[in-house]
Amino acid sequence: MSARVMMMDEPGRVALLMGNEAIARGAIEAGVSVAAGYPGTPSSEIGDALSQVADALGFYFEWSTNEKVALEVAFGASMCNQRSIVSMKHVGLNVALDILNLISLRGVRGGLVLVSADDPSQHSSGQEQDNRWLAKMNCVPVLEPSTPQEAKEYTRYAFELSERRRTPVMVRTVTRLSHMRGKVTLGPISREKRMAEFDWEGFSYRVSGFDRLFRREKELNDKLKLIQEDFEELNLNLLKMGGDERFGFIGAGLSFNYAHDAVRRLGIEKEAAYLKLATSHPIPQRLVSRLIGGVDRLLVVEEVDPFVELHVRALAKEVNPKLEVYGRMSGHLPGEGELSPQILGEALARIFNLENPYRRRSELEERVRGTIFERMLTFCAGCPHRATIYALKSAVIKVRGDPRRVVVNGDIGCYGLAHTPPLNFEDTYFCMGASIGVSQGMRHVGVDCISLIGDGTFLHAGIPGLINSVYNQADIKVVIADNQTIAMTGFQPHAGSGKTATGKPTRRVLIEDIARACGVDQVEVVDPYNLREAEEAFIRMLESKGVSVVIARRICATEAVRMLRPRRPTPYRVDEDVCIGCRLCLNTFGCPALEWDGEKGLASVNETLCMGCGVCSQICPQGAIGRAGAV
């Protein structure tokens, strides 16, 4: 999407927007003053869209160091009567929880919207956490849009609700909605400019005793009751009920579309009442009761956990004890994983004893078999992380004799692909910054290990762990793969990139300075494209005493090529007169630009993919690979 569309102030104009872009547009139409976030799929495009137009439209945007900082930045602006939004992927909210609870308790002044992008089936995440539980735990109301148009409108409404009830509001999106595109009718862009001022008396956040804070717990509960009343009458919740139906369904967020489509394709529209639920927390009990009190059977459709279903079952005990409730808890829908029209078609066909109107996924997969092949996970061509892992593995073999004598604790980022063939050199992979902490536990019980962490992840959550290792004398070895960007989520900058989210030059925070300030005595910076020097640095690290850090620094190859455009790097070639077909380059390094010519029995370089890094030429024992024009 172009920045021009995001800035278009033409109410009524229809644009094709991604769900995440629609959320960003909703914030702009609502008059957002401060926006912050931490990139993470499936949420990243919200920040990308806002960063493109922030300066032109006169609001502030930043990629924060982590999600907690992002939420604190947004809260700071809210306290000064400015509208703010913060976006993150679902697991990012775990990092931000510490401040979220206090924001909820103390209340907001300017509207504060928290966008949680959940990831059913964990397409790009370590787990499929349902953040509605965290919202409930922290007394934060939740809105769940089902289309890009609703994503925009709900975001606008979330600001209004947050400001009116003085509480943060969560807009929960899921991967399919975040990344789908749909027609969105644009509204006017707010030009309101508020004076930023801290309210010293009327709405104070000033330090107060715990007893005074405790009294705010009642205020918080009272707010939720008022919000629940708001939701009872809110026109975003749509109840369709004729009165003669004996079956009904409740669909929350995007999953409503699946059920609605399946009902239509089964031809049972007249037999099915429904509630399109936009507000999953707090649940509008009277509205839900109208539906469940009038039907005999009810299907609850929602992404990830049976959050609404659990509440409906509890409510049905009072309203309609004989109600048969179907959903994830009953087994009519799978207990885990993303829903789909096919899954809903199968569930409804089973309930109504009809034939499933959809083809099974297995049938579709069989139909395209041979046309579409599975993509193997691997690093991009020219990725400096591949060279880092290759040199590190070589160093471990030379020093320890066997790569399995060292546990490699990986972290969140592109380098997490170190576990894939042919490198196969990563053993664990958990959450942001965990590689450094778990390594210390292993070292304290005598297990040799290496922490492998990226630059963005180190700045996000690795620093406390490194301080802890020095303080508690854990003899860990840390490799920081520094490609100077957050490449995995779309090349967003971070504190070590030297530029802000809006492209302004800024002071670059150097990781080696941080490591030394943490008390690490042995810190080296190497270029992973120079395999010999990188391997020697890793050998020194492995042979050292105490905490040791090696920073493998080389800009992401894809980012480097973008900066080089319209020029391209000079590719490498294989000299067919020198290559002996040993396949060492393919079997141990595995760059996608390296190919095998079966007829000739020789390796070759795909010059379209080649990034010109030259690392493969350092691996070839025959010296058969060289820069194009030289061989």
Side-chain angles (χ1 to χ4, degrees):
M1 184 213 62
S2 69
R4 183 182 63 82
V5 175
M6 191 59 75
M7 295 171 56
M8 196 176 285
D9 197 5
E10 299 178 25
R13 181 79 174 261
V14 176
L16 187 65
L17 298 183
M18 184 186 287
N20 279 345
E21 295 167 347
I23 290 171
R25 173 72 192 196
I28 291 169
E29 291 185 6
V32 67
S33 292
V34 170
Y38 188 82
T41 307
S43 72
S44 305
E45 294 82 5
I46 300 170
D48 288 341
L50 291 170
S51 67
Q52 291 177 26
V53 300
D55 288 346
L57 291 177
F59 65 87
Y60 175 78
F61 175 78
E62 71 168 42
W63 286 121
S64 304
T65 304
N66 63 34
E67 294 85 353
K68 179 173 180 286
V69 175
L71 183 52
E72 290 164 348
V73 168
F75 184 39
S78 168
M79 282 193 287
C80 298
N81 200 30
Q82 304 300 302
R83 288 189 164 183
S84 58
I85 188 169
V86 59
S87 58
M88 59 192 71
K89 69 180 296 176
H90 58 330
V91 293
L93 189 55
N94 299 337
V95 180
L97 269 184
D98 207 10
I99 186 68
L100 178 61
N101 188 273
L102 291 172
I103 295 173
S104 179
L105 183 64
R106 298 288 190 102
V108 306
R109 190 173 175 213
L112 197 165
V113 176
L114 164 64
V115 181
S116 170
D118 290 10
D119 190 17
S121 286
Q122 55 191 87
H123 294 288
S124 53
S125 310
Q127 38 101 322
E128 56 164 20
Q129 173 179 303
D130 188 331
N131 275 358
R132 292 177 298 180
W133 300 110
L134 297 185
K136 182 178 177 65
M137 185 175 77
N138 290 280
C139 301
V140 175
V142 180
L143 304 176
E144 292 198 68
S146 65
T147 65
Q149 179 72 49
E150 289 183 357
K152 180 180 82 76
E153 300 303 335
Y154 287 18
T155 303
R156 287 187 57 176
Y157 170 70
F159 278 101
E160 187 272 323
L161 177 65
S162 171
E163 216 157 78
R164 181 157 47 85
R165 297 303 181 198
R166 294 193 162 178
T167 185
V169 175
M170 176 186 288
V171 174
R172 183 195 186 227
T173 177
V174 293
T175 306
R176 296 291 171 190
L177 176 59
S178 288
H179 291 165
M180 71 181 288
R181 289 188 180 276
K183 292 180 180 178
V184 175
T185 302
L186 305 182
I189 292 177
S190 172
R191 303 292 179 181
E192 180 186 6
K193 296 298 179 187
R194 300 178 180 179
M195 180 179 292
E197 55 182 359
F198 187 75
D199 186 354
W200 294 91
E201 302 299 335
F203 192 66
S204 177
Y205 300 95
R206 297 172 69 186
V207 178
S208 57
F210 291 140
D211 60 327
R212 293 180 63 187
L213 281 178
F214 178 70
R215 288 201 290 273
R216 286 191 176 269
E217 297 283 358
K218 184 176 187 311
E219 292 179 16
L220 185 57
N221 292 330
D222 289 344
K223 283 181 189 176
L224 270 185
K225 291 176 183 174
L226 291 172
I227 291 169
Q228 189 170 34
E229 286 300 315
D230 292 341
F231 289 173
E232 295 285 359
E233 305 299 328
L234 187 65
N235 60 8
L236 304 181
N237 291 318
L238 177 61
L239 175 64
K240 181 260 178 187
M241 192 173 186
D244 297 329
E245 305 92 340
R246 307 317 309 160
F247 171 83
F249 71 89
I250 297 176
L254 180 72
S255 56
F256 166 82
N257 300 327
Y258 302 150
H260 192 253
D261 186 67
V263 164
R264 182 182 58 80
R265 294 187 66 163
L266 283 164
I268 55 174
E269 299 103 312
K270 294 182 180 179
E271 301 172 54
Y274 66 75
L275 172 60
K276 181 177 180 295
L277 187 64
T279 59
S280 51
H281 178 70
I283 286 180
Q285 293 190 8
R286 292 200 302 276
L287 186 63
V288 172
S289 297
R290 286 175 58 190
L291 176 63
I292 66 177
V295 298
D296 301 324
R297 300 183 297 169
L298 181 81
L299 175 66
V300 183
V301 185
E302 55 192 322
E303 285 293 12
V304 186
D305 288 341
F307 179 87
V308 173
E309 183 182 347
L310 189 66
H311 289 79
V312 167
R313 285 178 178 274
L315 192 60
K317 296 288 184 185
E318 300 177 7
V319 178
N320 185 356
K322 295 183 179 179
L323 179 70
E324 293 182 33
V325 181
Y326 311 129
R328 291 185 185 268
M329 294 176 71
S330 71
H332 286 77
L333 296 175
E336 58 287 313
E338 186 178 37
L339 298 177
S340 68
Q342 289 85 358
I343 291 174
L344 264 297
E346 187 172 335
L348 284 164
R350 177 183 167 192
I351 292 169
F352 281 86
N353 196 26
L354 296 171
E355 185 176 347
N356 185 357
Y358 298 92
R359 289 186 177 179
R360 290 179 179 274
R361 183 183 175 90
S362 57
E363 295 175 11
L364 297 173
E365 289 176 344
E366 184 62 33
R367 187 176 177 187
V368 299
R369 194 177 303 282
T371 305
I372 300 174
F373 57 90
E374 290 190 8
R375 180 185 172 195
M376 187 183 78
L377 283 173
T378 187
F379 292 109
C380 301
C383 177
H385 294 335
R386 177 186 288 102
T388 298
I389 308 302
Y390 184 90
L392 178 62
K393 186 175 181 180
S394 299
V396 168
I397 292 172
K398 286 184 178 178
V399 176
R400 302 287 194 258
D402 184 342
R404 293 188 69 85
R405 288 186 176 175
V406 178
V407 177
V408 178
N409 292 309
D411 225 300
I412 307 300
C414 297
Y415 46 93
L417 295 173
H419 74 277
T420 60
L423 294 169
N424 299 313
F425 200 55
E426 186 186 54
D427 303 297
T428 71
Y429 185 91
F430 300 110
C431 61
M432 299 288 278
S435 64
I436 297 179
V438 299
S439 291
Q440 293 171 57
M442 291 181 177
R443 285 300 299 157
H444 286 310
V445 296
V447 174
D448 201 0
C449 56
I450 295 171
S451 305
L452 175 61
I453 186 170
D455 46 348
T457 308
F458 176 75
L459 295 167
H460 176 287
I463 299 171
L466 189 62
I467 294 171
N468 191 70
S469 68
V470 174
Y471 171 59
N472 288 304
Q473 303 176 38
D475 182 17
I476 63 168
K477 313 304 174 192
V478 182
V479 175
I480 303 176
D482 181 3
N483 64 357
Q484 302 169 43
T485 187
I486 305 177
M488 180 175 260
T489 56
F491 309 99
Q492 292 84 8
H494 57 60
S497 302
K499 62 180 179 182
T500 67
T502 52
K504 299 182 183 69
T506 186
R507 179 168 180 168
R508 190 177 172 194
V509 177
L510 293 174
I511 292 173
E512 55 268 37
D513 291 347
I514 294 175
R516 293 188 181 104
C518 289
V520 180
D521 293 326
Q522 181 162 333
V523 179
E524 290 196 60
V525 181
V526 297
D527 180 355
Y529 278 1
N530 188 325
L531 284 182
R532 182 178 60 80
E533 289 186 5
E535 183 182 305
E536 290 174 353
F538 291 138
I539 289 174
R540 288 191 291 274
M541 175 189 76
L542 292 166
E543 293 177 338
S544 67
K545 301 294 183 185
V547 181
S548 179
V549 171
V550 174
I551 301 161
R553 177 171 293 146
R554 166 64 70 160
I555 190 170
C556 167
T558 303
E559 186 79 337
V561 169
R562 287 181 177 183
M563 295 167 66
L564 198 62
R565 285 173 181 165
R567 294 177 293 141
R568 274 191 56 83
T570 304
Y572 277 67
R573 288 177 183 165
V574 174
D575 187 337
E576 296 184 356
D577 294 331
V578 180
C579 178
I580 62 172
C582 67
R583 297 196 187 206
L584 190 70
C585 56
L586 291 153
N587 293 342
T588 65
F589 191 59
C591 176
L594 290 166
E595 296 176 345
W596 179 250
D597 188 328
E599 292 185 2
K600 296 179 179 177
L602 300 173
S604 64
V605 174
N606 183 321
E607 296 187 12
T608 301
L609 296 178
C610 181
M611 295 292 189
C613 70
V615 177
C616 58
S617 69
Q618 301 170 54
I619 291 170
C620 178
Q622 302 300 314
I625 305 176
R627 196 178 292 274
V631 296

